[in-house]
Amino acid sequence: MRANQLSAIPYLAAIFVGLYFFEMASFPLSIDEELAIARGGADASVWVGQGRWGAYLIEAFVLPRPIIPFVPPALFGVGAIVAYLMLLDAARGDTKPLRPIDYLLFALFAGYPTWYFLVEFYANLGSVGIGLACAGAAVWLSFGDWGPRRTAVAVMSAAFLGACSIAIYQNFLLTIVGMGGAAFAIRLLDSNLIRPWRTAAMFAGVVVLSLLLYKVGDFSFRLIYPTVNPHFESMIRFDRLLADPGLVLALTAEAAV
């Protein structure tokens, strides 16, 4: 990130506080928060059964008490600002300061309805902010001009951050793909890519490596904490897909519509 972009942080923070003032000025508790309070940091391995070993590491070693006032939404705000600035830098690749339209787009980026839903769950919110920042950093590294010697390091670093993001919340895989696709399209339209297909291949490699690293971590943590979660295990059923692919695709299309 450039100095001109870093100077925009106070204004972005003010926009975020305006969007989420109610959550930051109150302390609502849902059933998820009550369960997290009763669980405590000692049994954070519950996340491993959901494939979220990154969330386990955060609750076990970084934020052992995720149900505390102000801190989870503040972490989410920091993550949103970091991810947005890195996405801007990846998409524009210049040293210009933020424009008025950039501030308006941040309101859309941080205030997207999906985030409003997630903000209701303090048990997830702090780790979600960290995961969002990791997703932005993975995209930023994927679109940097690192030169031949540093490209391999950038790709592996981006893949590691991408895996951490997916391990916190699996849907961040789609976030990474969406952010990377937007950055690629903007730079392509602005003729700001010297070798576009090389950049596309590099980003695709980062996504694939992120998934592989995530699965390696998931396999390893399940060996350490052998747990079964019927709800999450039933989401991906390759046996049913192979047995009756037509029915599965039809049901998926019906649910999507």
Side-chain angles (χ1 to χ4, degrees):
M1 290 184 288
R2 329 284 174 151
N4 285 335
Q5 294 167 338
L6 293 177
S7 65
I9 289 178
Y11 305 103
L12 297 177
I15 293 173
F16 179 85
V17 171
L19 290 171
Y20 294 100
F21 179 77
F22 173 77
E23 290 293 338
M24 301 188 75
S26 61
F27 189 43
L29 289 177
S30 68
I31 185 62
D32 284 31
E33 277 75 48
E34 293 179 10
L35 291 173
I37 291 172
R39 181 178 75 241
D43 193 22
S45 60
V46 65
W47 295 114
V48 176
Q50 301 180 13
R52 299 176 184 172
W53 50 267
Y56 158 73
L57 291 174
I58 291 174
E59 186 169 331
F61 302 106
V62 179
L63 194 65
R65 299 294 177 185
I67 310 305
I68 51 180
F70 314 121
V71 174
L75 276 176
F76 174 65
V78 171
I81 292 171
V82 170
Y84 184 72
L85 288 177
M86 287 187 166
L87 176 59
L88 272 186
D89 196 47
R92 290 167 53 177
D94 57 35
T95 59
K96 296 178 181 179
L98 269 67
R99 303 161 297 183
I101 187 63
D102 295 326
Y103 291 103
L104 291 175
L105 289 174
F106 175 72
L108 177 62
F109 180 84
Y112 195 73
T114 301
W115 300 133
Y116 268 98
F117 176 76
L118 286 173
V119 164
E120 295 295 325
F121 301 95
Y122 270 46
N124 303 336
L125 191 55
S127 59
V128 164
I130 297 173
L132 184 56
C134 289
V139 173
W140 179 74
L141 286 167
S142 301
F143 284 84
D145 185 12
W146 306 108
R149 294 185 178 180
R150 297 183 179 180
T151 297
V153 176
V155 168
M156 292 307 302
S157 299
F160 173 76
L161 290 169
C164 291
S165 180
I166 298 169
I168 289 171
Y169 203 69
Q170 288 95 328
N171 282 346
F172 275 130
L173 171 62
L174 301 178
T175 302
I176 294 171
V177 172
M179 292 170 67
F184 182 80
I186 292 171
R187 295 190 68 170
L188 196 61
L189 291 173
D190 290 343
S191 300
N192 199 8
L193 281 176
I194 300 175
R195 289 171 289 184
W197 300 115
R198 179 180 179 276
T199 302
M202 180 174 171
F203 178 65
V206 166
V207 173
V208 172
L209 285 174
S210 296
L211 276 172
L212 290 175
L213 291 176
Y214 162 73
K215 291 305 294 183
V216 169
D218 184 46
F219 178 77
S220 302
F221 276 94
R222 287 180 186 272
L223 288 179
I224 300 172
Y225 301 102
T227 57
V228 177
N229 190 305
H231 173 66
F232 283 87
E233 296 294 336
S234 64
M235 288 185 176
I236 301 178
R237 294 291 303 274
F238 289 110
D239 56 336
R240 292 187 178 181
L241 177 62
L242 294 174
D244 196 344
L247 176 61
V248 172
L249 292 175
L251 291 175
T252 302
E254 180 181 350
V257 173

